[in-house]
Protein backbone atom coordinates (compact mmCIF):
# COMPACT_ATOMS: atom_id res chain seq x y z
CA UNK A 1 0.00 0.00 0.00
CA UNK A 2 2.86 2.42 0.76
CA UNK A 3 4.46 1.58 -2.58
CA UNK A 4 1.16 2.07 -4.39
CA UNK A 5 0.77 5.52 -2.82
CA UNK A 6 4.03 6.79 -4.34
CA UNK A 7 3.79 9.06 -7.40
CA UNK A 8 4.88 7.17 -10.51
CA UNK A 9 6.08 10.12 -12.60
CA UNK A 10 9.43 10.67 -10.80
CA UNK A 11 10.16 6.96 -11.16
CA UNK A 12 9.33 7.00 -14.89
CA UNK A 13 11.52 10.07 -15.42
CA UNK A 14 14.42 8.43 -13.56
CA UNK A 15 14.15 5.39 -15.83
CA UNK A 16 13.93 7.27 -19.13
CA UNK A 17 16.57 9.92 -18.27
CA UNK A 18 19.53 7.65 -19.13
CA UNK A 19 17.84 6.67 -22.40
CA UNK A 20 15.78 3.63 -21.40
CA UNK A 21 12.45 3.47 -23.24
CA UNK A 22 9.47 3.78 -20.88
CA UNK A 23 8.00 0.74 -22.67
CA UNK A 24 10.33 -1.36 -20.50
CA UNK A 25 8.34 -0.50 -17.37
CA UNK A 26 4.79 -0.49 -18.71
CA UNK A 27 2.41 -3.43 -18.58
CA UNK A 28 1.79 -2.98 -22.32
CA UNK A 29 5.50 -3.26 -23.00
CA UNK A 30 5.78 -6.35 -20.83
CA UNK A 31 2.88 -7.98 -22.67
CA UNK A 32 4.58 -7.24 -25.99
CA UNK A 33 7.80 -8.90 -24.75
CA UNK A 34 5.85 -11.97 -23.61
CA UNK A 35 4.31 -12.19 -27.08
CA UNK A 36 7.72 -11.86 -28.74
CA UNK A 37 9.16 -14.58 -26.48
CA UNK A 38 6.25 -16.93 -27.22
CA UNK A 39 6.77 -16.38 -30.95
CA UNK A 40 10.56 -16.67 -30.99
CA UNK A 41 10.54 -19.57 -28.52
CA UNK A 42 8.14 -21.64 -30.60
CA UNK A 43 5.59 -21.76 -27.77
CA UNK A 44 2.45 -21.58 -29.88
CA UNK A 45 0.60 -23.60 -27.24
CA UNK A 46 0.68 -20.51 -25.00
CA UNK A 47 -1.04 -18.23 -27.52
CA UNK A 48 -4.57 -18.87 -26.16
CA UNK A 49 -3.52 -17.21 -22.88
CA UNK A 50 -2.10 -14.24 -24.78
CA UNK A 51 -5.35 -13.93 -26.74
CA UNK A 52 -7.26 -14.09 -23.43
CA UNK A 53 -5.18 -11.21 -22.05
CA UNK A 54 -5.89 -9.11 -25.14
CA UNK A 55 -9.63 -9.82 -24.88
CA UNK A 56 -9.90 -9.29 -21.13
CA UNK A 57 -7.77 -6.21 -20.56
CA UNK A 58 -9.70 -4.27 -17.89
CA UNK A 59 -8.38 -0.90 -19.07
CA UNK A 60 -8.46 1.91 -16.55
CA UNK A 61 -5.58 4.04 -15.27
CA UNK A 62 -2.13 2.47 -15.09
CA UNK A 63 -0.19 4.94 -13.00
CA UNK A 64 0.92 2.93 -9.98
CA UNK A 65 4.44 1.72 -9.24
CA UNK A 66 4.13 -2.05 -8.88
CA UNK A 67 6.82 -4.47 -7.78
CA UNK A 68 5.66 -7.03 -10.32
CA UNK A 69 6.88 -10.08 -8.38
CA UNK A 70 5.34 -9.50 -5.00
CA UNK A 71 5.52 -12.39 -2.51
CA UNK A 72 6.86 -13.01 1.02
CA UNK A 73 10.34 -14.12 -0.08
CA UNK A 74 10.92 -10.65 -1.54
CA UNK A 75 9.89 -8.82 1.64
CA UNK A 76 12.52 -8.03 4.29
CA UNK A 77 11.40 -7.56 7.88
CA UNK A 78 12.86 -7.13 11.34
CA UNK A 79 10.86 -7.69 14.53
CA UNK A 80 7.62 -7.75 12.57
CA UNK A 81 8.30 -4.47 10.73
CA UNK A 82 8.90 -4.28 6.99
CA UNK A 83 12.40 -2.94 6.32
CA UNK A 84 12.60 -3.33 2.56
CA UNK A 85 11.53 -5.12 -0.59
CA UNK A 86 14.07 -6.80 -2.89
CA UNK A 87 14.20 -8.18 -6.46
CA UNK A 88 12.85 -5.38 -8.64
CA UNK A 89 13.53 -7.02 -12.02
CA UNK A 90 9.81 -6.96 -12.93
CA UNK A 91 8.96 -3.47 -11.68
CA UNK A 92 6.18 -1.97 -13.78
CA UNK A 93 3.86 1.02 -13.87
CA UNK A 94 0.41 -0.54 -13.94
CA UNK A 95 -2.82 -0.76 -11.97
CA UNK A 96 -2.38 -1.68 -8.28
CA UNK A 97 -4.16 -4.95 -9.03
CA UNK A 98 -0.91 -6.02 -10.73
CA UNK A 99 0.82 -6.60 -7.39
CA UNK A 100 -2.25 -8.17 -5.83
CA UNK A 101 -2.69 -10.58 -8.74
CA UNK A 102 1.05 -11.27 -8.79
CA UNK A 103 1.02 -12.20 -5.11
CA UNK A 104 -1.94 -14.52 -5.57
CA UNK A 105 -0.28 -16.20 -8.54
CA UNK A 106 3.22 -16.57 -7.09
CA UNK A 107 2.03 -17.99 -3.78
CA UNK A 108 -0.76 -20.22 -5.10
CA UNK A 109 1.09 -21.74 -8.05
CA UNK A 110 4.54 -22.21 -6.49
CA UNK A 111 5.55 -25.90 -6.27
CA UNK A 112 5.50 -27.25 -2.72
CA UNK A 113 8.58 -29.27 -1.84
CA UNK A 114 7.03 -30.94 1.18
CA UNK A 115 5.78 -34.49 1.84
CA UNK A 116 2.58 -35.26 -0.06
CA UNK A 117 0.59 -35.87 3.14
CA UNK A 118 1.34 -32.34 4.34
CA UNK A 119 0.30 -30.56 1.15
CA UNK A 120 -3.49 -30.31 1.74
CA UNK A 121 -2.95 -28.68 5.14
CA UNK A 122 -0.33 -26.32 3.70
CA UNK A 123 -2.57 -25.39 0.79
CA UNK A 124 -5.36 -24.61 3.25
CA UNK A 125 -3.02 -22.37 5.27
CA UNK A 126 -1.95 -20.61 2.06
CA UNK A 127 -5.57 -19.97 1.03
CA UNK A 128 -6.31 -18.61 4.48
CA UNK A 129 -3.29 -16.30 4.37
CA UNK A 130 -4.13 -15.01 0.91
CA UNK A 131 -7.73 -14.39 1.99
CA UNK A 132 -6.45 -12.31 4.91
CA UNK A 133 -4.13 -10.43 2.55
CA UNK A 134 -6.98 -9.55 0.19
CA UNK A 135 -9.27 -8.45 3.02
CA UNK A 136 -6.53 -6.27 4.53
CA UNK A 137 -5.82 -4.61 1.16
CA UNK A 138 -9.51 -4.03 0.41
CA UNK A 139 -9.98 -2.32 3.78
CA UNK A 140 -7.57 0.37 2.61
CA UNK A 141 -8.25 0.50 -1.11
CA UNK A 142 -10.95 -1.00 -3.37
CA UNK A 143 -9.95 -3.59 -5.94
CA UNK A 144 -11.49 -4.34 -9.33
CA UNK A 145 -12.07 -8.12 -9.35
CA UNK A 146 -11.83 -8.26 -13.14
CA UNK A 147 -8.47 -6.49 -13.01
CA UNK A 148 -7.23 -8.82 -10.25
CA UNK A 149 -8.10 -11.85 -12.42
CA UNK A 150 -6.35 -10.27 -15.42
CA UNK A 151 -3.23 -9.65 -13.33
CA UNK A 152 -3.31 -13.21 -12.04
CA UNK A 153 -3.09 -14.57 -15.56
CA UNK A 154 -0.58 -11.93 -16.71
CA UNK A 155 2.31 -12.89 -14.35
CA UNK A 156 1.44 -16.58 -14.63
CA UNK A 157 1.92 -16.40 -18.41
CA UNK A 158 5.08 -14.34 -17.95
CA UNK A 159 6.51 -16.92 -15.54
CA UNK A 160 5.39 -19.84 -17.71
CA UNK A 161 6.91 -18.40 -20.89
CA UNK A 162 10.36 -17.81 -19.43
CA UNK A 163 10.34 -21.02 -17.37
CA UNK A 164 9.43 -23.07 -20.44
CA UNK A 165 12.22 -21.45 -22.45
CA UNK A 166 14.68 -22.04 -19.61
CA UNK A 167 13.76 -25.71 -19.15
CA UNK A 168 13.51 -26.44 -22.89
CA UNK A 169 16.97 -25.01 -23.54
CA UNK A 170 18.56 -26.62 -20.50
CA UNK A 171 19.50 -23.26 -19.04
CA UNK A 172 20.32 -22.64 -15.40
CA UNK A 173 17.99 -20.62 -13.22
CA UNK A 174 14.31 -20.13 -13.86
CA UNK A 175 13.40 -19.35 -10.25
CA UNK A 176 10.73 -21.20 -8.32
CA UNK A 177 8.91 -22.19 -11.51
CA UNK A 178 11.95 -23.36 -13.49
CA UNK A 179 11.03 -27.02 -13.18
CA UNK A 180 8.55 -29.49 -14.66
CA UNK A 181 6.45 -29.19 -11.48
CA UNK A 182 6.49 -25.40 -11.66
CA UNK A 183 5.46 -25.45 -15.30
CA UNK A 184 2.60 -27.88 -14.60
CA UNK A 185 1.36 -25.66 -11.77
CA UNK A 186 1.41 -22.55 -13.95
CA UNK A 187 -0.45 -24.31 -16.77
CA UNK A 188 -3.15 -25.49 -14.34
CA UNK A 189 -3.36 -22.02 -12.78
CA UNK A 190 -3.82 -20.25 -16.11
CA UNK A 191 -6.42 -22.77 -17.23
CA UNK A 192 -8.33 -22.31 -13.95
CA UNK A 193 -8.21 -18.49 -13.98
CA UNK A 194 -8.69 -17.84 -17.70
CA UNK A 195 -10.67 -20.90 -18.78
CA UNK A 196 -8.38 -21.55 -21.76
CA UNK A 197 -6.17 -24.53 -22.50
CA UNK A 198 -2.44 -23.98 -22.85
CA UNK A 199 0.52 -26.30 -23.35
CA UNK A 200 4.29 -26.14 -23.76
Amino acid sequence: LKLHDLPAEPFVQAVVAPGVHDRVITSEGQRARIGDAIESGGLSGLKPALVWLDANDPGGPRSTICHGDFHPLNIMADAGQVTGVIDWANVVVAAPEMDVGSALTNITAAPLEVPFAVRPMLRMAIRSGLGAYLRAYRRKRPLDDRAVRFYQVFPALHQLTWSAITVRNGLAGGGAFGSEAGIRNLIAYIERCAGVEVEV
Side-chain angles (χ1 to χ4, degrees), residues 105-113 119 123 156 160 176-177 179-192:
T105 297
N106 285 322
I107 297 169
T108 303
L112 298 177
E113 296 182 6
R119 291 180 190 178
R123 287 291 184 200
L160 179 56
F177 296 101
S179 65
E180 295 295 341
I183 288 172
R184 283 196 305 272
N185 285 5
L186 287 168
I187 288 172
Y189 191 79
I190 289 171
E191 291 181 345
R192 187 165 66 249

Side-chain angles (χ1 to χ4, degrees), residues 28 44 47 54-55 69 115 133 181 191:
E28 292 83 0
S44 59
K47 286 185 177 179
D54 289 338
D69 190 23
Y133 164 66
E191 291 181 345

Side-chain angles (χ1 to χ4, degrees), residues 3-15:
L3 172 64
H4 292 171
D5 284 337
L6 294 175
E9 190 55 33
F11 168 66
V12 174
Q13 292 304 318
V15 170

Side-chain angles (χ1 to χ4, degrees), residues 13-173:
Q13 292 304 318
V15 170
V16 301
V20 177
H21 199 290
D22 62 1
R23 183 173 181 263
V24 171
I25 56 164
T26 63
S27 55
E28 292 83 0
Q30 287 191 355
R31 266 167 68 196
R33 290 201 303 279
I34 293 169
D36 291 344
I38 287 172
E39 196 66 41
S40 64
L43 298 170
S44 59
L46 299 184
K47 286 185 177 179
L50 201 59
V51 170
W52 186 92
L53 287 177
D54 289 338
N56 290 274
D57 190 327
R62 292 184 172 133
S63 55
T64 301
I65 301 173
C66 294
H67 182 271
D69 190 23
F70 194 66
H71 58 78
L73 296 180
N74 283 336
I75 302 170
M76 300 170 63
D78 182 35
Q81 296 297 314
V82 174
T83 58
V85 181
I86 61 172
D87 191 4
W88 291 85
N90 294 315
V91 64
V92 59
V93 176
E97 285 86 355
M98 163 64 95
D99 274 340
V100 175
S102 171
L104 296 175
T105 297
N106 285 322
I107 297 169
T108 303
L112 298 177
E113 296 182 6
V114 297
F116 185 79
V118 178
R119 291 180 190 178
M121 185 168 36
L122 184 55
R123 287 291 184 200
M124 189 180 302
I126 288 171
R127 283 196 297 272
S128 176
L130 288 174
Y133 164 66
L134 277 172
R135 288 191 297 274
Y137 195 103
R138 288 183 195 276
R139 280 197 294 269
K140 300 289 185 178
R141 180 182 285 118
L143 289 168
D144 179 338
D145 289 337
R146 183 170 171 237
V148 171
R149 178 61 57 92
F150 176 84
Y151 286 116
Q152 287 176 265
V153 176
F154 187 113
L157 182 60
H158 179 267
Q159 292 272 21
L160 179 56
T161 301
W162 296 111
S163 296
I165 290 171
T166 298
V167 171
R168 177 179 289 182
N169 294 326
L171 302 174

